[in-house]
Amino acid sequence: MSLGRSGHERPWLQHAQVRCGGGVLSDPRGCLVDHLDWLPVSGPDGPREVPLREALVSAHTFTGLLPDMPTMLPVLLRQVLIPVVLDALGDVDAETWAGMMAAGAFTAEQRAAIDQYLDQYVGRFNVLDSAAPFGQAAGLEHPGGKVHPVSVLMPHVATGNNTPLWDARLVSDPVPLSLGAATRWMLHAQCWDTAGIKTAAVGDPQVQSGKTMGNRTGPLGKLGMVTLLGRTLFETIVLNLPQGQRQAGDRPHWDRPPMGSAWRVRAPGGILDFFTWQERRIRLIPDEPESDSVTQVRWVVLSAGDRIDGPQVEDPHTCWTIKADKTRGSIRYPRKHLPGLTGWQGLEALLTIDRDGAGYETSSLIMQTAAATLMGDLPADYPLRAATCGMVYGTKDSIVSDILSDEVPLPVGALRSDLAVRGSVTLVCKQAQALARTIDHLAANLLRAAGGEPPARGKGQQPGTKLLHTLDPLVRRFLTGCQRSPSDDELDQAHKAFETLAERATRTAAEELLHRLPGTAFTGRTVTKKERGKTVTTTYQQASAERFFDSAVRKTLTHLYPQTAPAEETAA
């Protein structure tokens, strides 16, 4: 177990230790370790913000993080909490991971190691430090003295040409943020910032016409993030600790020389470097404080940061799509979350521990959790949850169009292929989506029978989307029930109960379509068209549409109608 690194070969760290030795800080207001309440947590006394040291050593007393928005959750874990734990305690293997989950809290030795580590690096965790402010470039400025409102860090607030999601506050009147909130949004921008042109910075040799071109989105912008959640903040941290040996020389940004104005193109040195990657050069500009008032930030300087190139570090928080290439063989791409889809609609990908030709693979964190489940290191009734989030960009990734997020129960038993829970969970999710498609097919056939044509795929509101909203709580209730490690009989009864309620909701949706149908649909109409050089004649009638619908519902609900074909045939 590592108790922190020596600073003998790191003059920037020694400088910080000299200035901060004995707890003396140049400006204690900005110390994230002990002085500034900035990490939002939920505890026995309700929601509050705490310093970094308290958030870690007392992590077992908090139920979890309370992020400003869903995309902030992986930011706080990856940019601060997980790197500190990994760097302070050393590499984590399966045995260490199991011991931490069994203990439910950091041991006295681990707390001492974290305390020693934070004491060693306390000078680099000061957001108001003049020489090496945390996560920022000291002295960063635009050649013309231009500054941005602090809202440029916040994707849900209007800034320049960025499309606001919920706010229309004027740029000339930026919303003031507390120093703690501004720090969180600064870290958020490092992970999720939009691509495109960024303003120049004094001392950046790669500036072109006062601008920096070709900037990419933050490292998380191209990923569909999946964060595992436990019963406490401590368990959430452990569940998201990547196991394995780190690369030599892998360090977080606070154990590297302070950033300057110039940025580089380089490969990440390892998982710590990747998690704390500085995709932007940022400097917070706090207001001049009055006597005892809270330090606020209204303006920032934001410019280009380091760009990732070369050998990549595999991200442990995303699932993967696997495609076959004739020349390069099997290629893996990170899966992004799709707008309009719930988390359980992608549950099959989350549960794909082995590829088996499925075309996708789950995240490495879920794989190591599945391995712990198989070894008995995680109880079968553990209330595991998966928080999904992602960003949708528009206009060449230069604006934020939407933010996607969800949280779904993830039954531990479903991570094991030898248990019936896995197949039942997967089937329920498929059945709900198949029923939605069945309603869409019914609506299209009824519209054709009445003399119309259904809208093109993806155009207009589909009745199946409305049905999915109705089925959503039923699916989540079933997933939650599966977390209690049900017996096979209980699982079968729960599945039948789901199908009973799902059938009722589906047939109710069908009745609504039939009640709006004109009388001409009963007689129907005949359509003749050419397909592949042949003349094809099709008759659309209300009766045939209802007959096809009833047959599809029966094939989908295999527990209620076991004599019919499986749900996969309905999807086909």
Side-chain angles (χ1 to χ4, degrees):
M1 177 180 295
S2 170
L3 299 181
R5 295 195 180 97
S6 170
H8 295 309
E9 297 179 0
R10 300 175 176 83
W12 61 88
L13 179 57
Q14 285 195 355
H15 172 67
Q17 289 175 317
V18 170
R19 290 187 299 104
C20 304
V24 178
L25 295 167
S26 58
D27 193 339
R29 295 174 304 150
C31 177
L32 302 178
V33 174
D34 295 304
H35 294 77
L36 184 63
D37 294 331
W38 71 289
L39 287 170
V41 296
S42 175
D45 300 328
R48 62 192 183 101
E49 295 182 3
V50 297
L52 175 57
R53 192 190 304 271
E54 183 178 353
L56 286 174
V57 299
S58 301
H60 60 286
T61 66
F62 304 125
T63 56
L65 293 169
L66 292 177
D68 303 79
M69 64 170 30
T71 50
M72 184 72 77
L73 174 63
V75 170
L76 298 179
L77 286 171
R78 293 162 60 103
Q79 284 273 336
V80 184
L81 297 176
I82 292 176
V84 168
V85 172
L86 277 180
D87 214 21
L89 304 185
D91 296 336
V92 174
D93 55 20
E95 183 178 355
T96 303
W97 188 96
M100 295 175 74
M101 287 298 293
F106 289 116
T107 64
E109 182 183 5
Q110 289 171 337
R111 288 197 298 271
I114 291 173
D115 280 335
Q116 179 180 342
Y117 182 88
L118 293 177
D119 289 341
Q120 180 180 0
Y121 291 93
V122 65
R124 295 300 303 272
F125 280 93
N126 191 341
V127 290
L128 296 180
D129 189 85
S130 58
F134 176 81
Q136 304 165 72
L140 185 71
E141 61 177 326
H142 184 268
K146 180 180 179 180
V147 295
H148 296 283
V150 70
S151 56
V152 74
L153 306 176
M154 308 164 70
H156 61 296
V157 179
T159 303
N161 67 341
N162 187 39
T163 305
L165 298 179
W166 305 292
D167 190 88
R169 192 181 182 104
L170 296 177
V171 177
S172 58
D173 181 26
V175 55
L177 295 180
S178 67
L179 186 58
T183 301
R184 295 194 299 271
W185 286 113
M186 179 263 296
L187 296 176
H188 190 275
Q190 299 285 13
C191 295
W192 297 100
D193 191 36
T194 56
I197 298 173
K198 301 299 174 184
T199 56
V202 175
D204 182 1
Q206 303 186 74
V207 171
Q208 301 176 10
S209 302
K211 301 175 182 179
T212 305
M213 313 294 184
N215 296 282
R216 307 164 184 171
T217 65
L220 306 190
K222 299 298 184 183
L223 307 177
M225 298 301 297
V226 181
T227 307
L228 297 179
L229 302 178
R231 294 169 295 191
T232 65
L233 176 57
F234 171 81
E235 292 182 351
T236 295
I237 293 174
V238 176
L239 287 167
N240 290 277
L241 286 179
Q243 298 177 12
Q245 187 174 2
R246 300 202 311 270
Q247 299 179 29
D250 182 24
R251 305 173 186 171
H253 70 72
W254 53 81
D255 192 18
R256 295 176 178 273
M259 289 187 297
S261 300
W263 53 272
R264 296 181 294 165
V265 178
R266 63 182 182 88
I271 193 68
L272 294 181
D273 188 17
F274 181 62
F275 273 5
T276 62
W277 189 264
Q278 303 294 284
E279 188 73 26
R280 299 289 180 262
R281 295 290 190 263
I282 301 175
R283 179 170 69 92
L284 302 178
I285 305 176
D287 293 346
E288 288 296 329
E290 299 180 0
S291 54
D292 295 326
S293 62
V294 176
T295 303
Q296 292 185 330
V297 177
R298 294 176 185 270
W299 307 98
V300 300
V301 180
L302 185 147
S303 63
D306 292 346
R307 300 180 185 178
I308 296 178
D309 194 17
Q312 300 293 299
V313 175
E314 181 171 306
D315 197 293
H317 281 105
T318 189
C319 297
W320 303 87
T321 296
I322 304 173
K323 294 184 178 180
D325 186 270
K326 294 182 179 179
T327 57
R328 294 182 292 175
S330 180
I331 304 177
R332 303 165 77 242
Y333 300 92
R335 290 175 64 89
K336 295 192 68 173
H337 303 305
L338 299 177
L341 299 184
T342 60
W344 56 262
Q345 287 178 268
L347 198 60
E348 186 176 9
L350 292 182
L351 299 179
T352 306
I353 308 300
D354 302 315
R355 298 181 183 180
D356 294 332
Y360 33 75
E361 183 179 87
T362 192
S363 70
S364 59
L365 288 175
I366 294 182
M367 283 187 178
Q368 69 184 34
T369 304
T373 302
L374 191 61
M375 297 298 295
D377 295 330
L378 198 63
D381 59 350
Y382 184 82
L384 184 66
R385 292 164 293 147
T388 62
C389 67
M391 201 83 78
V392 180
Y393 301 94
T395 316
K396 297 182 179 180
D397 294 343
S398 63
I399 61 173
V400 175
S401 299
D402 199 3
I403 291 178
L404 312 176
S405 67
D406 198 2
E407 183 180 314
V408 295
L410 189 61
V412 170
L415 299 177
R416 295 179 52 178
S417 58
D418 60 330
L419 297 180
V421 173
R422 181 173 182 175
S424 191
V425 163
T426 303
L427 182 57
V428 161
C429 296
K430 287 183 177 180
Q431 287 175 323
Q433 297 175 81
L435 291 174
R437 291 192 297 269
T438 299
I439 280 292
D440 285 339
H441 293 160
L442 174 64
N445 288 333
L446 291 176
L447 187 58
R448 293 188 182 101
E453 286 294 332
R457 179 183 293 270
K459 301 294 184 181
Q461 179 71 27
Q462 300 290 331
T465 303
K466 181 180 178 181
L467 178 61
L468 281 175
H469 284 294
T470 304
L471 298 179
D472 182 77
L474 302 181
V475 175
R476 294 178 189 273
R477 187 187 308 171
F478 181 83
L479 295 177
T480 302
C482 289
Q483 289 186 310
R484 303 187 182 99
S485 186
S487 65
D488 290 349
D489 289 340
E490 291 172 335
L491 186 63
D492 187 63
Q493 293 175 6
H495 203 142
K496 286 183 179 178
F498 165 79
E499 290 191 2
T500 300
L501 297 175
E503 181 184 29
R504 185 182 306 167
T506 304
R507 295 193 183 279
T508 299
E511 288 295 329
E512 293 178 359
L513 295 175
L514 293 170
H515 286 163
R516 297 197 299 264
L517 203 63
T520 54
F522 182 78
T523 56
R525 66 167 178 153
T526 300
V527 177
T528 301
K529 57 183 177 180
K530 287 190 175 182
E531 292 183 359
R532 298 180 180 179
K534 297 182 180 180
T535 301
V536 179
T537 301
T538 307
T539 300
Y540 296 99
Q541 291 178 317
Q542 176 183 339
S544 59
E546 290 187 67
R547 185 170 63 253
F548 293 147
F549 166 76
D550 182 73
S551 176
V553 169
R554 288 173 175 269
K555 289 181 180 179
T556 299
L557 303 178
T558 55
H559 282 64
L560 291 181
Y561 307 100
Q563 73 281 4
T564 58
E568 285 76 7
E569 293 187 11
T570 303

